[in-house]
Amino acid sequence: MDIMKFFQAIKKFFVENPDSEQQHDDIMIYDNIIMPECQPTTEEIPPLLAYETRKKEIAESTEPIDGVFYFYDDKIIFDFYSECLRSDRENPCRQHMYHVHFYQNYMQRKFDGLIYGENSIPRGRVYYNILYIDYCYARNAEIIEQIKRTYRMTGEITVKTNNDYRCDTCRHITT
């Protein structure tokens, strides 16, 4: 058993809820959504810089972007690795939820103390002109503006919170 599989097995045993995520040989099931396994092996995990650098086709474009972001230590951590142009509806990053792996392969390697799943810290998502964001940050105009600029959101946007984008701290708050 390689070291990454060993740590995943330990994590699954002690931390994860077996009802919300099950792993099989080549399929991942997340909250009843079945998708192909796209978890790279230890040797294939890209270096941290690959997760911090915007992909060339997205950097060179001017069109809006859909993507996921996280908050760590009150800073926005953009998932440049999984983001995709709005016009690119066939992008596998959109179809297979690669951001699930961004958390494991980048966030947990980069920042100390992150051992739980991606929903354990504040996060959000830009999807067309809807900004889903953790309740802890939903009223922070400076952060909203930074996200709008980064994802090239234009026109009127809607800011929403829901249980998918609420950390453990604010999960109990109702809007």
Side-chain angles (χ1 to χ4, degrees):
M1 179 183 292
D2 70 90
I3 191 81
M4 188 63 137
K5 286 183 181 177
F6 173 76
F7 283 123
Q8 287 175 342
I10 295 295
K11 178 182 167 193
K12 187 167 191 77
F13 181 77
F14 286 108
V15 177
E16 295 176 356
N17 177 353
D19 294 331
S20 66
E21 179 182 317
Q22 303 167 7
Q23 183 165 353
H24 303 281
D25 290 339
D26 62 348
I27 295 177
M28 293 295 290
I29 302 173
Y30 291 95
D31 297 324
N32 299 323
I33 299 171
I34 300 174
M35 65 190 79
E37 171 62 88
C38 52
Q39 173 68 39
T41 64
T42 305
E43 298 82 34
E44 297 173 357
I45 295 176
L48 292 176
L49 185 60
Y51 293 97
E52 296 167 348
T53 305
R54 186 163 261 177
K55 292 177 272 190
K56 183 178 179 181
E57 69 270 13
I58 292 175
E60 292 176 351
S61 176
T62 58
E63 78 173 90
I65 303 163
D66 288 341
V68 175
F69 55 89
Y70 299 86
F71 293 96
Y72 183 81
D73 207 16
D74 284 330
K75 293 183 179 95
I76 305 172
I77 310 300
F78 295 103
D79 180 359
F80 294 135
Y81 197 75
S82 302
E83 69 187 1
C84 41
L85 298 171
R86 287 199 189 144
S87 63
D88 192 4
R89 296 176 198 259
E90 301 302 317
N91 190 319
C93 292
R94 180 186 309 274
Q95 294 172 356
H96 298 300
M97 297 174 58
Y98 280 105
H99 66 276
V100 172
H101 302 296
F102 174 83
Y103 186 84
Q104 291 175 322
N105 296 333
Y106 178 75
M107 296 293 290
Q108 288 182 320
R109 286 170 49 203
K110 176 84 174 184
F111 304 108
D112 293 331
L114 295 180
I115 59 171
Y116 301 105
E118 68 173 349
N119 62 349
S120 65
I121 64 171
R123 64 192 180 115
R125 167 189 292 277
V126 171
Y127 183 73
Y128 290 91
N129 277 5
I130 301 173
L131 169 58
Y132 295 98
I133 190 169
D134 191 282
Y135 188 79
C136 298
Y137 295 93
R139 293 194 171 101
N140 186 318
E142 184 178 319
I143 285 175
I144 301 295
E145 195 56 40
Q146 183 179 357
I147 293 166
K148 285 172 58 175
R149 278 191 314 272
T150 301
Y151 288 107
R152 304 178 192 137
M153 299 177 80
T154 58
E156 189 173 325
I157 70 162
T158 303
V159 177
K160 292 186 174 185
T161 63
N162 65 28
N163 283 336
D164 289 336
Y165 300 100
R166 289 198 182 181
C167 66
D168 291 339
T169 303
C170 67
R171 191 166 304 281
H172 68 282
I173 300 172
T174 58
T175 56

